[in-house]
Amino acid sequence: MNIQQGILAGIINASEDIIIVQDLDGCIISWNRAASLAFGYSEDDVLGKSASLIVPEHLRGEENELLERVKQGEKIGQFETFRATKAGKLIHVAIGFSPVTNQLGEIVGLSAIGRDIQRIAEEKQGMLAAIIDSSDDAIVSKNLFGIITSWNRSAERLFEYSAHEIIGRHVHTLIPEKLWEEEAMIISRIKRGEKVEHFKTLRVAKSGKLLQLSVTVSPIKNRAGEIIGASKIARDVSQHRLAEEKQGILAAIVSSSDDAIVSKTLEGIITSWNFGAERLFGYHESEIIGKSIYTIIPRNRHHEEQGIINKIKKGEKVDHFETVRVAKDGRELSLSITVSPVKNRSGEIIGASKIARDISEQVKVREDRELYTKRLEKLNHYKDEFIGMASHELKTPLTSINANLQLLQRKLQESAFKGFVTKTLRHVNKLTALVSELLDVTRIQEGKLQLNKTYFDLAELVEECVESIQPTTTHTIQYESKITGAVLADRQRIEQVIVNLLTNAIKYSPHGKQVIVSTEMDEHEMCVSIQDFGIGIPADQTAQIFSRFYRVEGLAPTYSGLGIGLYISSEIVQRHNGKIWVESEIGKGSTFKLKMPLK
Ligand code: ADP
């Protein structure tokens, strides 16, 4: 065997076709592997034997006729016949016969190349079955009477019936009764050989669940071309439908929104424009889509847009940004806009959506409020000025009244009228104190409160204050000091603070019998505390009582006062870098504490 022959033999053996060669006497001289597989004889079994070995007896006559024709040089293609296997089984084959010639062109034998038709058909069917079974679509077939004849795995999943349960039953099992007529119409189209494509309908699953399906129905024909049934491919589109509905709802929201909703590309070209936008800006969708967003941005705000787009490109949102836009008629609109990136399915940012709300009203309200506040501040300033002026004007006559009363008091040594004068003088002193407090408020307001600092012993000052107040009250002021501590402060102002705290303690504890005063000290500061057992202060107001004119609600008319004592006190203490605060319980009493840094 030369090389070429070797290659040829290899190919013949590897072929899926049955290849048999016989000589002119009908003896087999070549037999390939496919022949062995098909007939069950090995090469050794058949070489040299008569080729009629595999020809069924009743067909031998026909066979001989054919062979005669080939011996004459004729080629016979794809002749369908039967052959017998070693086991005696008949197989359906298609054979092509050709003459085999030698180098001189003389016919020396015959070759038969055959194919097992049935096996191929079975393989094809197997492949089809596998495709059908693995399809994601439900594939079902039925005959012309509507009886289900096949049912794939996806159909089992979709309709919840196993093939075993449903094959042999009528398709009406799957169709809501009101749609039976539709089914009859489909069947009649199928009978006419037509295909029904992507037809949207409803079916019922075993559990009663309604399925929204897209169905394609095709006729099934037998070999003779007669229509014998229909195959149905059904796809569940419920999700699809849901998505479509969602989109519909979204579109409806956008178009019915009172807010202007506009979208644009990253280049600033307007791509959508809802009715809210039309109402707000005055442009109809048809005149603005495709135009630049700058159409509605005032010239002096063009720079804003670039900033917004830069943020959008980074995937950021711009929230409630207050700006101005222009309407078609040139009106400037105060708007609050929120801009969000628009992404495509693969997540790339392809534009921006803008929701704009007209806030002209709010802006106006805000501006009015600002104006109002300014006016209020001005009025407040006038009031302060008035208080300052009034107390100043009051001070001069008061001083003169005071001096004259003192003179009178001295002159009326033993007179019966002396008592009246003394009483009057007491009231005038109260009035003088009040006026000087008012003047202090004005000084604080104007930043003109002067401090005259000296070193003195704070504990000693407290003691002096207690001693001066004690004779004016029926309360017992309890104070025992064992400490001494020098502070650098305005003695008179600190005295004013302590006197104010002591008089308050007495004033606001009408049923209390005592006030406890104590002093404590560490290396940095000295603390004075003044405790009463009076009405107490509501917890939510303990901070406010130190502000100007503030009085705990509901005090008047039982307790007189202007609400400025603690304000002045706290200003004085703060100017000394000290601290003043209160701890209190309603109905139990209050403890005011004052902390002053030691020198
Ligand atoms: P006035 O006593 O003139 O109202 P203050 O500035 O001294 O003004 O005090 C402010 C407010 O603080 C008072 O109106 C009162 O409501 C409350 N207050 C001050 N001291 C006491 C206290 N010892 N007990 C209860 N409430 C107090």
Side-chain angles (χ1 to χ4, degrees), residues 131-141 148-167 171 174 203-207 209 211 213 231-236:
I131 291 172
I132 288 175
D133 236 23
S134 61
S135 165
D136 272 341
D137 292 331
I139 303 177
V140 172
S141 64
I148 295 167
T149 52
S150 84
W151 191 258
N152 78 342
R153 223 181 291 250
S154 284
E156 289 190 333
R157 251 193 315 264
L158 184 64
F159 296 103
E160 302 159 6
Y161 291 100
S162 70
H164 177 73
E165 285 175 290
I166 198 84
I167 289 178
V171 278
L174 309 171
R203 292 291 179 263
V204 245
K206 187 177 174 185
S207 60
K209 189 171 111 188
L211 306 166
L213 303 181
S231 81
K232 256 187 203 191
I233 302 184
R235 180 167 292 185
D236 186 358

Tab-separated table of all heavy atoms in Angstrom, residues 131-141 148-167 171 174 203-207 209 211 213 231-236:
chain	number	residue	atom	x	y	z
A	131	ILE	N	-33.822	20.034	22.020
A	131	ILE	CA	-33.992	21.485	21.885
A	131	ILE	C	-35.308	21.917	22.527
A	131	ILE	O	-35.373	22.851	23.319
A	131	ILE	CB	-33.962	21.913	20.392
A	131	ILE	CG1	-32.559	21.716	19.835
A	131	ILE	CG2	-34.415	23.353	20.233
A	131	ILE	CD1	-32.448	21.919	18.346
A	132	ILE	N	-36.352	21.177	22.193
A	132	ILE	CA	-37.676	21.503	22.721
A	132	ILE	C	-37.678	21.446	24.243
A	132	ILE	O	-38.181	22.344	24.908
A	132	ILE	CB	-38.745	20.555	22.125
A	132	ILE	CG1	-38.959	20.925	20.664
A	132	ILE	CG2	-40.040	20.604	22.916
A	132	ILE	CD1	-39.878	20.011	19.910
A	133	ASP	N	-37.010	20.392	24.749
A	133	ASP	CA	-37.033	20.220	26.195
A	133	ASP	C	-36.241	21.296	26.927
A	133	ASP	O	-36.587	21.671	28.039
A	133	ASP	CB	-36.494	18.832	26.555
A	133	ASP	CG	-37.529	18.092	27.365
A	133	ASP	OD1	-38.720	18.453	27.236
A	133	ASP	OD2	-37.147	17.186	28.120
A	134	SER	N	-35.201	21.774	26.266
A	134	SER	CA	-34.373	22.740	26.987
A	134	SER	C	-34.796	24.175	26.700
A	134	SER	O	-34.227	25.108	27.243
A	134	SER	CB	-32.909	22.536	26.623
A	134	SER	OG	-32.758	22.754	25.243
A	135	SER	N	-35.821	24.343	25.884
A	135	SER	CA	-36.251	25.704	25.557
A	135	SER	C	-36.860	26.396	26.771
A	135	SER	O	-37.503	25.774	27.602
A	135	SER	CB	-37.290	25.652	24.433
A	135	SER	OG	-37.937	26.890	24.348
A	136	ASP	N	-36.626	27.697	26.870
A	136	ASP	CA	-37.228	28.474	27.958
A	136	ASP	C	-38.696	28.749	27.688
A	136	ASP	O	-39.456	29.097	28.592
A	136	ASP	CB	-36.505	29.815	28.116
A	136	ASP	CG	-35.332	29.668	29.043
A	136	ASP	OD1	-35.312	28.670	29.799
A	136	ASP	OD2	-34.443	30.528	29.009
A	137	ASP	N	-39.090	28.633	26.427
A	137	ASP	CA	-40.489	28.837	26.087
A	137	ASP	C	-41.251	27.540	26.310
A	137	ASP	O	-40.698	26.456	26.187
A	137	ASP	CB	-40.619	29.216	24.604
A	137	ASP	CG	-40.022	30.585	24.344
A	137	ASP	OD1	-40.037	31.411	25.265
A	137	ASP	OD2	-39.545	30.807	23.224
A	138	ALA	N	-42.520	27.692	26.642
A	138	ALA	CA	-43.359	26.505	26.772
A	138	ALA	C	-43.712	26.069	25.351
A	138	ALA	O	-44.167	26.884	24.552
A	138	ALA	CB	-44.618	26.843	27.539
A	139	ILE	N	-43.437	24.785	25.006
A	139	ILE	CA	-43.771	24.302	23.666
A	139	ILE	C	-44.730	23.125	23.811
A	139	ILE	O	-44.440	22.155	24.509
A	139	ILE	CB	-42.505	23.893	22.891
A	139	ILE	CG1	-41.543	25.092	22.832
A	139	ILE	CG2	-42.857	23.426	21.469
A	139	ILE	CD1	-40.224	24.809	22.160
A	140	VAL	N	-45.852	23.288	23.169
A	140	VAL	CA	-46.947	22.334	23.347
A	140	VAL	C	-47.484	22.002	21.970
A	140	VAL	O	-47.519	22.868	21.104
A	140	VAL	CB	-48.077	23.028	24.164
A	140	VAL	CG1	-49.315	22.176	24.222
A	140	VAL	CG2	-47.582	23.364	25.565
A	141	SER	N	-47.874	20.738	21.747
A	141	SER	CA	-48.566	20.491	20.486
A	141	SER	C	-49.909	19.843	20.765
A	141	SER	O	-50.141	19.264	21.829
A	141	SER	CB	-47.710	19.641	19.552
A	141	SER	OG	-47.509	18.383	20.140
A	148	ILE	N	-54.154	17.739	23.623
A	148	ILE	CA	-52.718	17.994	23.795
A	148	ILE	C	-51.941	16.718	23.526
A	148	ILE	O	-52.257	15.660	24.078
A	148	ILE	CB	-52.440	18.528	25.211
A	148	ILE	CG1	-53.116	19.892	25.361
A	148	ILE	CG2	-50.948	18.634	25.498
A	148	ILE	CD1	-53.198	20.401	26.774
A	149	THR	N	-50.899	16.835	22.661
A	149	THR	CA	-50.139	15.634	22.294
A	149	THR	C	-48.693	15.685	22.738
A	149	THR	O	-48.021	14.667	22.799
A	149	THR	CB	-50.204	15.417	20.770
A	149	THR	OG1	-49.820	16.653	20.147
A	149	THR	CG2	-51.601	15.047	20.304
A	150	SER	N	-48.176	16.880	23.032
A	150	SER	CA	-46.824	16.938	23.606
A	150	SER	C	-46.701	18.147	24.514
A	150	SER	O	-47.451	19.126	24.379
A	150	SER	CB	-45.761	16.966	22.512
A	150	SER	OG	-45.581	18.280	22.059
A	151	TRP	N	-45.742	18.101	25.404
A	151	TRP	CA	-45.665	19.054	26.525
A	151	TRP	C	-44.219	19.104	27.013
A	151	TRP	O	-43.726	18.098	27.503
A	151	TRP	CB	-46.590	18.486	27.602
A	151	TRP	CG	-46.902	19.367	28.766
A	151	TRP	CD1	-46.357	19.291	30.007
A	151	TRP	CD2	-47.867	20.416	28.804
A	151	TRP	NE1	-46.923	20.227	30.812
A	151	TRP	CE2	-47.857	20.937	30.111
A	151	TRP	CE3	-48.739	20.972	27.868
A	151	TRP	CZ2	-48.673	21.986	30.515
A	151	TRP	CZ3	-49.558	22.009	28.260
A	151	TRP	CH2	-49.520	22.512	29.566
A	152	ASN	N	-43.542	20.217	26.823
A	152	ASN	CA	-42.126	20.236	27.246
A	152	ASN	C	-41.952	20.687	28.704
A	152	ASN	O	-42.918	21.002	29.393
A	152	ASN	CB	-41.268	21.093	26.288
A	152	ASN	CG	-41.438	22.583	26.535
A	152	ASN	OD1	-42.400	23.010	27.162
A	152	ASN	ND2	-40.494	23.378	26.027
A	153	ARG	N	-40.675	20.704	29.110
A	153	ARG	CA	-40.389	20.996	30.510
A	153	ARG	C	-40.818	22.420	30.913
A	153	ARG	O	-41.307	22.646	32.003
A	153	ARG	CB	-38.888	20.826	30.750
A	153	ARG	CG	-38.613	20.099	32.027
A	153	ARG	CD	-37.147	19.984	32.206
A	153	ARG	NE	-36.596	19.054	31.202
A	153	ARG	CZ	-36.120	17.856	31.550
A	153	ARG	NH1	-36.157	17.451	32.790
A	153	ARG	NH2	-35.626	17.059	30.629
A	154	SER	N	-40.609	23.389	29.985
A	154	SER	CA	-40.993	24.767	30.320
A	154	SER	C	-42.500	24.892	30.459
A	154	SER	O	-42.994	25.693	31.257
A	154	SER	CB	-40.507	25.745	29.260
A	154	SER	OG	-39.133	25.933	29.426
A	155	ALA	N	-43.234	24.080	29.685
A	155	ALA	CA	-44.690	24.088	29.806
A	155	ALA	C	-45.071	23.582	31.199
A	155	ALA	O	-45.982	24.111	31.840
A	155	ALA	CB	-45.318	23.216	28.735
A	156	GLU	N	-44.322	22.586	31.670
A	156	GLU	CA	-44.580	22.060	33.023
A	156	GLU	C	-44.392	23.165	34.047
A	156	GLU	O	-45.200	23.350	34.943
A	156	GLU	CB	-43.628	20.913	33.355
A	156	GLU	CG	-43.940	19.648	32.580
A	156	GLU	CD	-43.149	18.434	33.081
A	156	GLU	OE1	-42.047	18.633	33.635
A	156	GLU	OE2	-43.647	17.304	32.897
A	157	ARG	N	-43.308	23.927	33.868
A	157	ARG	CA	-43.004	25.005	34.807
A	157	ARG	C	-44.064	26.099	34.750
A	157	ARG	O	-44.552	26.566	35.766
A	157	ARG	CB	-41.647	25.616	34.445
A	157	ARG	CG	-40.551	25.275	35.444
A	157	ARG	CD	-39.346	26.146	35.216
A	157	ARG	NE	-38.987	26.273	33.816
A	157	ARG	CZ	-38.069	25.541	33.201
A	157	ARG	NH1	-37.405	24.614	33.870
A	157	ARG	NH2	-37.799	25.719	31.923
A	158	LEU	N	-44.438	26.485	33.530
A	158	LEU	CA	-45.336	27.620	33.354
A	158	LEU	C	-46.769	27.309	33.792
A	158	LEU	O	-47.389	28.055	34.537
A	158	LEU	CB	-45.293	28.060	31.891
A	158	LEU	CG	-46.089	29.303	31.522
A	158	LEU	CD1	-45.534	30.520	32.243
A	158	LEU	CD2	-46.029	29.537	30.013
A	159	PHE	N	-47.262	26.151	33.306
A	159	PHE	CA	-48.676	25.847	33.581
A	159	PHE	C	-48.882	24.987	34.815
A	159	PHE	O	-49.995	24.720	35.214
A	159	PHE	CB	-49.295	25.146	32.369
A	159	PHE	CG	-49.329	26.006	31.130
A	159	PHE	CD1	-48.412	25.825	30.107
A	159	PHE	CD2	-50.278	27.001	30.992
A	159	PHE	CE1	-48.444	26.614	28.967
A	159	PHE	CE2	-50.320	27.793	29.853
A	159	PHE	CZ	-49.402	27.603	28.836
A	160	GLU	N	-47.770	24.506	35.369
A	160	GLU	CA	-47.771	23.724	36.615
A	160	GLU	C	-48.345	22.315	36.472
A	160	GLU	O	-48.534	21.622	37.461
A	160	GLU	CB	-48.513	24.498	37.741
A	160	GLU	CG	-47.919	25.868	38.032
A	160	GLU	CD	-48.893	26.819	38.730
A	160	GLU	OE1	-49.989	26.372	39.088
A	160	GLU	OE2	-48.550	28.014	38.896
A	161	TYR	N	-48.653	21.880	35.227
A	161	TYR	CA	-49.083	20.490	35.009
A	161	TYR	C	-47.879	19.694	34.539
A	161	TYR	O	-47.089	20.203	33.731
A	161	TYR	CB	-50.117	20.401	33.881
A	161	TYR	CG	-51.463	21.008	34.193
A	161	TYR	CD1	-51.788	22.277	33.732
A	161	TYR	CD2	-52.418	20.286	34.901
A	161	TYR	CE1	-53.028	22.836	33.983
A	161	TYR	CE2	-53.683	20.845	35.152
A	161	TYR	CZ	-53.970	22.118	34.692
A	161	TYR	OH	-55.193	22.649	34.939
A	162	SER	N	-47.738	18.424	34.968
A	162	SER	CA	-46.686	17.583	34.409
A	162	SER	C	-47.198	17.067	33.063
A	162	SER	O	-48.408	17.083	32.803
A	162	SER	CB	-46.385	16.416	35.345
A	162	SER	OG	-47.481	15.524	35.333
A	163	ALA	N	-46.257	16.635	32.204
A	163	ALA	CA	-46.626	16.108	30.884
A	163	ALA	C	-47.611	14.955	31.069
A	163	ALA	O	-48.620	14.846	30.371
A	163	ALA	CB	-45.377	15.639	30.150
A	164	HIS	N	-47.327	14.151	32.062
A	164	HIS	CA	-48.125	12.978	32.359
A	164	HIS	C	-49.593	13.357	32.658
A	164	HIS	O	-50.523	12.709	32.197
A	164	HIS	CB	-47.468	12.296	33.559
A	164	HIS	CG	-48.190	11.115	34.056
A	164	HIS	ND1	-48.197	9.926	33.362
A	164	HIS	CD2	-48.932	10.940	35.182
A	164	HIS	CE1	-48.929	9.064	34.042
A	164	HIS	NE2	-49.381	9.648	35.147
A	165	GLU	N	-49.768	14.463	33.400
A	165	GLU	CA	-51.121	14.878	33.770
A	165	GLU	C	-51.915	15.448	32.605
A	165	GLU	O	-53.134	15.351	32.564
A	165	GLU	CB	-51.062	16.023	34.811
A	165	GLU	CG	-50.698	15.633	36.204
A	165	GLU	CD	-50.572	16.897	37.059
A	165	GLU	OE1	-49.622	17.687	36.871
A	165	GLU	OE2	-51.451	17.089	37.914
A	166	ILE	N	-51.208	16.124	31.680
A	166	ILE	CA	-51.944	16.943	30.733
A	166	ILE	C	-52.081	16.324	29.354
A	166	ILE	O	-53.054	16.603	28.638
A	166	ILE	CB	-51.311	18.361	30.662
A	166	ILE	CG1	-52.260	19.381	30.046
A	166	ILE	CG2	-50.006	18.351	29.906
A	166	ILE	CD1	-53.224	19.968	30.989
A	167	ILE	N	-51.105	15.492	28.945
A	167	ILE	CA	-51.186	14.932	27.589
A	167	ILE	C	-52.454	14.084	27.479
A	167	ILE	O	-52.764	13.303	28.380
A	167	ILE	CB	-49.915	14.132	27.226
A	167	ILE	CG1	-48.768	15.144	27.032
A	167	ILE	CG2	-50.097	13.281	25.971
A	167	ILE	CD1	-47.442	14.530	26.716
A	171	VAL	N	-57.088	21.303	25.262
A	171	VAL	CA	-56.428	22.575	25.572
A	171	VAL	C	-57.327	23.524	26.354
A	171	VAL	O	-56.825	24.436	27.011
A	171	VAL	CB	-55.935	23.352	24.322
A	171	VAL	CG1	-54.616	22.848	23.848
A	171	VAL	CG2	-56.968	23.390	23.251
A	174	LEU	N	-56.516	24.807	29.739
A	174	LEU	CA	-55.592	25.923	29.986
A	174	LEU	C	-56.182	27.281	29.613
A	174	LEU	O	-55.543	28.311	29.802
A	174	LEU	CB	-54.322	25.742	29.149
A	174	LEU	CG	-53.622	24.393	29.225
A	174	LEU	CD1	-52.533	24.331	28.170
A	174	LEU	CD2	-53.032	24.197	30.608
A	203	ARG	N	-53.861	32.686	29.781
A	203	ARG	CA	-54.067	31.272	30.053
A	203	ARG	C	-54.150	31.091	31.563
A	203	ARG	O	-53.733	31.983	32.299
A	203	ARG	CB	-52.892	30.437	29.492
A	203	ARG	CG	-52.818	30.420	27.960
A	203	ARG	CD	-53.971	29.629	27.367
A	203	ARG	NE	-53.962	29.610	25.912
A	203	ARG	CZ	-54.674	30.411	25.150
A	203	ARG	NH1	-55.447	31.339	25.695
A	203	ARG	NH2	-54.630	30.310	23.839
A	204	VAL	N	-54.666	29.916	31.972
A	204	VAL	CA	-54.719	29.654	33.425
A	204	VAL	C	-53.792	28.499	33.766
A	204	VAL	O	-53.808	27.467	33.088
A	204	VAL	CB	-56.114	29.220	33.935
A	204	VAL	CG1	-56.685	30.233	34.878
A	204	VAL	CG2	-57.048	28.883	32.806
A	205	ALA	N	-53.037	28.676	34.834
A	205	ALA	CA	-52.178	27.600	35.317
A	205	ALA	C	-53.012	26.682	36.207
A	205	ALA	O	-54.166	26.991	36.512
A	205	ALA	CB	-51.009	28.175	36.092
A	206	LYS	N	-52.407	25.573	36.601
A	206	LYS	CA	-53.117	24.577	37.399
A	206	LYS	C	-53.652	25.189	38.696
A	206	LYS	O	-54.762	24.894	39.131
A	206	LYS	CB	-52.146	23.434	37.723
A	206	LYS	CG	-52.769	22.261	38.409
A	206	LYS	CD	-51.726	21.185	38.597
A	206	LYS	CE	-52.270	20.040	39.414
A	206	LYS	NZ	-51.200	19.062	39.693
A	207	SER	N	-52.857	26.126	39.281
A	207	SER	CA	-53.256	26.736	40.556
A	207	SER	C	-54.339	27.795	40.367
A	207	SER	O	-54.801	28.385	41.337
A	207	SER	CB	-52.040	27.382	41.198
A	207	SER	OG	-51.533	28.371	40.319
A	209	LYS	N	-53.806	30.512	38.628
A	209	LYS	CA	-53.122	31.782	38.361
A	209	LYS	C	-53.283	32.151	36.890
A	209	LYS	O	-53.137	31.305	36.013
A	209	LYS	CB	-51.632	31.591	38.702
A	209	LYS	CG	-50.835	32.870	38.673
A	209	LYS	CD	-49.445	32.616	39.229
A	209	LYS	CE	-48.416	32.725	38.120
A	209	LYS	NZ	-47.088	32.330	38.483
A	211	LEU	N	-52.097	33.761	33.460
A	211	LEU	CA	-50.788	34.029	32.859
A	211	LEU	C	-50.977	34.899	31.635
A	211	LEU	O	-51.860	34.649	30.821
A	211	LEU	CB	-50.135	32.706	32.426
A	211	LEU	CG	-50.008	31.640	33.498
A	211	LEU	CD1	-49.675	30.299	32.858
A	211	LEU	CD2	-48.928	32.030	34.489
A	213	LEU	N	-49.576	35.698	28.199
A	213	LEU	CA	-48.637	35.006	27.319
A	213	LEU	C	-48.594	35.636	25.938
A	213	LEU	O	-49.540	36.266	25.487
A	213	LEU	CB	-49.062	33.543	27.157
A	213	LEU	CG	-49.200	32.710	28.421
A	213	LEU	CD1	-49.614	31.295	28.063
A	213	LEU	CD2	-47.903	32.691	29.205
A	231	SER	N	-48.516	23.299	16.708
A	231	SER	CA	-47.555	23.439	17.799
A	231	SER	C	-47.666	24.860	18.306
A	231	SER	O	-47.871	25.802	17.540
A	231	SER	CB	-46.148	23.150	17.320
A	231	SER	OG	-45.634	24.275	16.675
A	232	LYS	N	-47.559	24.972	19.599
A	232	LYS	CA	-47.714	26.283	20.209
A	232	LYS	C	-46.458	26.600	20.981
A	232	LYS	O	-45.991	25.782	21.772
A	232	LYS	CB	-48.839	26.203	21.239
A	232	LYS	CG	-50.089	26.815	20.777
A	232	LYS	CD	-51.078	26.845	21.883
A	232	LYS	CE	-52.439	26.917	21.206
A	232	LYS	NZ	-53.491	27.206	22.130
A	233	ILE	N	-45.943	27.814	20.780
A	233	ILE	CA	-44.820	28.264	21.608
A	233	ILE	C	-45.333	29.438	22.424
A	233	ILE	O	-45.836	30.402	21.863
A	233	ILE	CB	-43.625	28.699	20.737
A	233	ILE	CG1	-43.211	27.534	19.852
A	233	ILE	CG2	-42.478	29.172	21.604
A	233	ILE	CD1	-41.989	27.794	19.027
A	234	ALA	N	-45.266	29.290	23.731
A	234	ALA	CA	-45.833	30.350	24.576
A	234	ALA	C	-44.752	30.957	25.448
A	234	ALA	O	-43.892	30.265	25.983
A	234	ALA	CB	-46.928	29.761	25.450
A	235	ARG	N	-44.795	32.277	25.568
A	235	ARG	CA	-43.821	32.974	26.414
A	235	ARG	C	-44.574	33.811	27.433
A	235	ARG	O	-45.516	34.509	27.095
A	235	ARG	CB	-42.950	33.852	25.525
A	235	ARG	CG	-41.918	34.617	26.278
A	235	ARG	CD	-40.906	35.193	25.337
A	235	ARG	NE	-40.111	34.148	24.714
A	235	ARG	CZ	-39.074	34.408	23.918
A	235	ARG	NH1	-38.763	35.647	23.617
A	235	ARG	NH2	-38.383	33.420	23.402
A	236	ASP	N	-44.123	33.706	28.677
A	236	ASP	CA	-44.757	34.464	29.752
A	236	ASP	C	-44.327	35.932	29.629
A	236	ASP	O	-43.156	36.239	29.712
A	236	ASP	CB	-44.279	33.908	31.101
A	236	ASP	CG	-45.005	34.537	32.270
A	236	ASP	OD1	-45.845	35.417	32.025
A	236	ASP	OD2	-44.732	34.140	33.414
